[in-house]
Amino acid sequence: MTQDIHRLDAEVRLRPAAPADAASLAVSLIRSRAYMERWEPVRPAFFYTEQGQSERLAAMFADRDAGRAMPWVLADEEDRAIGAFNLNGIVLGPLRSGTLGYWVDVEYAGRGLATAAVERICELARDELHLHRVEAGTVLDNFASQRVLAKCGFEQFGMAPRYLHINGEWRDHCLFQRILHDGPPTV
């Protein structure tokens, strides 16, 4: 998939994640921890360290290299990571689908960055990975994320009871999908 950098606004770009992002991801996650905790799994303290993010990125890059994932970051004007977008669980063949997850630093939330990034990732998934669909899930009360998905053409197609262990309990999730094209699968 393309290694291009995509400008989302005057200060922020979407670009492929890199090993050097570990330190700024840890800083951003610490800053945003209280803001995001109601939508995130309970994480060990190690997760919020540079080493924890370095190990997490290494696992994502292994999935990327195997064709199962595409990790991106939002980068500020100083190229610090201030959010992450991951297309995971990529399956080709007749399904041609992937699952999208994302977060944006609390200091950058509410600026339309998630909407712009999700839209661009859907374009890349269609045009470069030739995926048929992208899916995403949100806890029932994550209305901001649901608005992002709706603006980007996702439709709710179901509800999954006790889908993910979020903020200390198994939480129901709304499931969304965006059909990217109806052409036949490509090889």
Side-chain angles (χ1 to χ4, degrees), residues 1-16:
M1 180 169 267
T2 185
Q3 295 299 309
D4 292 344
I5 296 172
H6 309 279
R7 185 157 295 285
L8 301 181
D9 74 5
E11 299 173 350
V12 178
R13 298 170 325 282
L14 177 71
R15 65 165 173 74

Side-chain angles (χ1 to χ4, degrees), residues 68-80:
R68 294 185 301 261
M70 290 303 304
W72 291 276
V73 295
L74 293 182
D76 68 10
E77 63 278 2
E78 295 178 24
D79 204 35
R80 293 176 299 215

Side-chain angles (χ1 to χ4, degrees), residues 63 67-70 86-92 95 97-100:
D63 282 344
R68 294 185 301 261
M70 290 303 304
N86 301 299
L87 190 57
N88 299 301
I90 295 172
V91 178
L92 300 179
L95 181 59
S97 183
T99 301
L100 181 64

Side-chain angles (χ1 to χ4, degrees), residues 37-83:
E37 73 181 354
R38 64 185 170 181
W39 303 304
E40 289 287 313
V42 174
R43 312 261 194 199
F46 180 72
F47 178 84
Y48 297 93
T49 67
E50 182 176 351
Q51 183 62 35
Q53 287 306 298
S54 182
E55 290 180 15
R56 183 171 174 250
L57 285 167
M60 288 180 190
F61 297 148
D63 282 344
R64 177 200 61 204
D65 294 346
R68 294 185 301 261
M70 290 303 304
W72 291 276
V73 295
L74 293 182
D76 68 10
E77 63 278 2
E78 295 178 24
D79 204 35
R80 293 176 299 215
I82 53 155

Side-chain angles (χ1 to χ4, degrees), residues 140-151:
L140 300 183
D141 62 348
N142 190 343
F143 304 117
S145 191
Q146 292 168 18
R147 280 191 303 276
V148 166
L149 295 170
K151 287 179 191 176

